[in-house]
Amino acid sequence: MLKGKKIVLGITGSIAAYKACQIIRLLVKAGAEVQVVITPAGKEFITPITLSALTQKPVVSEFFSQRDGTWNSHVALGLWADAMLVAPCTASTLGKMAHGVADNMLITTYLSMKAPVFIAPAMDLDMYAHPTTQQNLDTLRSFDNHIIEPQSGFLASGLEGKGRMEEPEQIVETLDAFFSQDGDLKGKRIMITAGPTYEKIDPVRFIGNYSSGKMGFALAEECARRGASVTLIAGPVSLQAQQKNIRRIDVESCEQMYQAAVSEYPQCDAAILCAAVADFRPADVADQKIKREGDDLVLRLIPTYDIAAKLGQMKTDRQRLVGFALETNDEEVNAEGKLQRKNFDFIVLNSLQNEGTCFRTEENQVTIISREGKKQFGKKPKSEVAQDIIDELSTIL
């Protein structure tokens, strides 16, 4: 979504200025055009030559060029840009932006900016926590600027705490998500299930599986990035959703996921059932921890709710339903059978025969099967697999 976008990147006098190089590389790789505006202090940390080489544009720092006296128009930059990003932004620059102290090219550009402004603070923990800094941040938020919150971690001072600038990948993702609000899924409501379910045996034991939830969360992030309002029904996982337009419902058991899915689906345009839901649960759940007595413990298992079958019955003509199939043998035959039985529009086939995919991995390899045929994809990161799947969903929506 950043392709063709014009970005003014403001760089200030922070040790985090070196990360601006990675920000530029990521923006350019995404197809954006980048114009750097740097403060005099910023040039003490990173050279304009480096920045110019990465952007293929002269770096703007002063009001007038020292070589030929050319005037650098902050007004023209304000009209040219689709967005302005100040990263890193020091406490000093925050204060100047909040109070209109236009004593350098970066601040005058900010005051002339017609496009949305994103600010990524970077400073020591006590500076960030100081009441004046927090007041300046509140003031800038009230002006509808977008604050990209700093993270906690090791700082240049040797201390540890909040003030570390957000990583370049997340900063660029924030811009990408902003422009994706007008994406191909804008106005759509999509429900996604993710992760495992835990079926209790007693208060400390359960039946579960190896699902990490990474594929389901990648799908949620991709849908949200492309403008959809996402309801993410998540089993017990340690992952966190990043996009603001993802509403998360945490569940543990199949029954809880079933109740949430049945409640949410009627309001949605589509659902993607990516969760690894237990097919069986213990018939009886002990109130207290089961003690080790004798040589054997026999558990009687009974079927859990069939979420996919129920949603397939509920589906209306305006709705779409996408399923997942994890198979160990006769993969395509089993997936095609499930496609028909559950009334899916298409099904995403995973196979445990593909090493390094599926559970607890960063990559996946899938085949998308519909009534019209199948599409096979190579092994790739789950974020890219999510793009392939959502491309297919977007087509049928």
Side-chain angles (χ1 to χ4, degrees):
M1 297 299 171
L2 287 167
K3 187 175 182 180
K5 300 299 183 184
K6 300 178 177 66
I7 310 295
V8 169
L9 174 60
I11 302 173
T12 68
S14 165
I15 186 63
Y18 77 92
K19 293 184 178 181
C21 292
Q22 181 66 5
I23 292 174
I24 293 170
R25 290 297 297 272
L26 291 169
L27 288 171
V28 171
K29 184 178 179 181
E33 189 177 349
V34 182
Q35 174 62 64
V36 171
V37 179
I38 191 169
T39 64
K43 291 190 290 185
E44 299 296 324
F45 290 89
I46 189 168
T47 68
I49 293 175
T50 300
L51 299 168
S52 180
L54 293 171
T55 63
Q56 299 295 300
K57 288 179 178 291
V59 171
V60 175
S61 180
E62 308 296 341
F63 295 106
F64 297 93
S65 171
Q66 295 180 352
R67 290 185 177 181
D68 57 11
T70 301
W71 176 48
N72 292 314
S73 174
H74 53 279
V75 176
L77 285 172
L79 294 170
W80 172 81
D82 293 303
M84 182 178 187
L85 167 65
V86 184
C89 185
T90 60
S92 174
T93 297
L94 276 176
K96 291 179 180 181
M97 293 172 74
H99 297 283
V101 182
D103 65 347
N104 62 44
M105 186 66 185
L106 190 153
I107 303 300
T108 57
T109 301
Y110 162 70
L111 293 174
S112 302
M113 188 55 55
K114 301 292 187 182
V117 177
F118 297 80
I119 303 168
M123 62 199 75
D124 207 62
L125 72 162
D126 293 317
M127 296 176 69
Y128 182 74
H130 198 279
T132 56
T133 302
Q134 292 303 309
Q135 188 176 57
N136 288 334
L137 285 167
D138 288 340
T139 298
L140 290 168
R141 289 188 185 98
S142 74
F143 298 158
D144 292 329
N145 294 297
H146 303 265
I147 307 299
I148 302 174
E149 290 287 332
Q151 300 301 305
S152 295
F154 290 104
L155 306 171
S157 63
L159 301 175
E160 185 175 359
K162 189 169 184 178
R164 180 187 180 97
M165 188 179 82
E166 179 62 278
E167 293 303 314
E169 291 81 4
Q170 291 302 319
I171 291 173
V172 173
E173 177 63 29
T174 298
L175 267 69
D176 186 69
F178 174 81
F179 288 114
S180 297
Q181 291 175 6
D182 292 323
D184 56 352
L185 294 181
K186 183 179 180 181
K188 300 298 183 183
R189 300 184 64 177
I190 298 177
M191 183 187 81
I192 298 171
T193 65
T197 64
Y198 290 172
E199 311 303 327
K200 284 187 176 181
I201 298 173
D202 63 20
V204 298
R205 302 181 180 93
F206 60 85
I207 296 172
N209 57 63
Y210 295 117
S211 174
S212 64
K214 291 178 180 178
M215 190 68 249
F217 273 67
L219 288 164
E221 297 288 352
E222 180 65 15
C223 287
R225 189 182 71 82
R226 293 161 74 156
S229 295
V230 179
T231 298
L232 176 61
I233 303 174
V237 297
S238 60
L239 302 174
Q240 296 296 322
Q242 303 299 318
Q243 305 279 356
K244 291 182 178 180
N245 47 330
I246 297 176
R247 180 171 67 94
R248 179 169 175 173
I249 300 173
D250 287 307
V251 299
E252 181 177 89
S253 67
C254 171
E255 181 176 359
Q256 292 170 345
M257 185 171 284
Y258 174 89
Q259 297 296 342
V262 169
S263 174
E264 295 293 328
Y265 187 51
Q267 293 80 44
C268 294
D269 297 288
I272 306 174
L273 306 182
C274 188
V277 183
D279 291 317
F280 296 92
R281 63 177 178 85
D284 300 300
V285 179
D287 294 330
Q288 297 180 336
K289 180 181 176 182
I290 299 172
K291 300 298 184 182
R292 182 169 182 170
E293 298 175 352
D295 296 327
D296 297 325
L297 174 64
V298 178
L299 293 176
R300 186 170 71 89
L301 303 179
I302 59 176
T304 56
Y305 289 97
D306 192 332
I307 299 173
K310 179 62 177 178
L311 297 190
Q313 294 170 1
M314 293 172 57
K315 188 176 74 168
T316 66
D317 291 341
R318 70 169 185 85
Q319 292 178 303
R320 300 292 176 261
L321 187 61
V322 177
F324 270 69
L326 175 61
E327 301 294 341
T328 58
N329 61 285
D330 299 325
E331 289 96 338
E332 292 189 10
V333 172
N334 289 330
E336 288 171 358
K338 188 174 182 180
L339 171 76
Q340 301 294 335
R341 293 194 310 275
K342 311 295 184 181
N343 195 22
F344 292 144
D345 290 276
F346 66 86
I347 191 166
V348 181
L349 171 62
N350 301 277
S351 174
L352 285 178
Q353 303 297 327
N354 299 324
E355 294 185 6
T357 66
C358 300
F359 293 131
R360 296 178 178 175
T361 65
E362 300 300 326
E363 295 184 312
N364 204 350
Q365 183 173 348
V366 303
T367 300
I368 293 178
I369 300 174
S370 68
R371 291 170 180 80
E372 288 71 42
K374 63 181 180 181
K375 298 178 182 178
Q376 294 179 316
F377 299 87
K379 185 177 178 182
K380 59 181 71 175
K382 287 182 176 177
S383 60
E384 296 182 17
V385 174
Q387 293 176 21
D388 294 332
I389 295 169
I390 303 307
D391 284 345
E392 189 74 14
L393 177 60
S394 177
T395 299
I396 65 173
L397 280 172

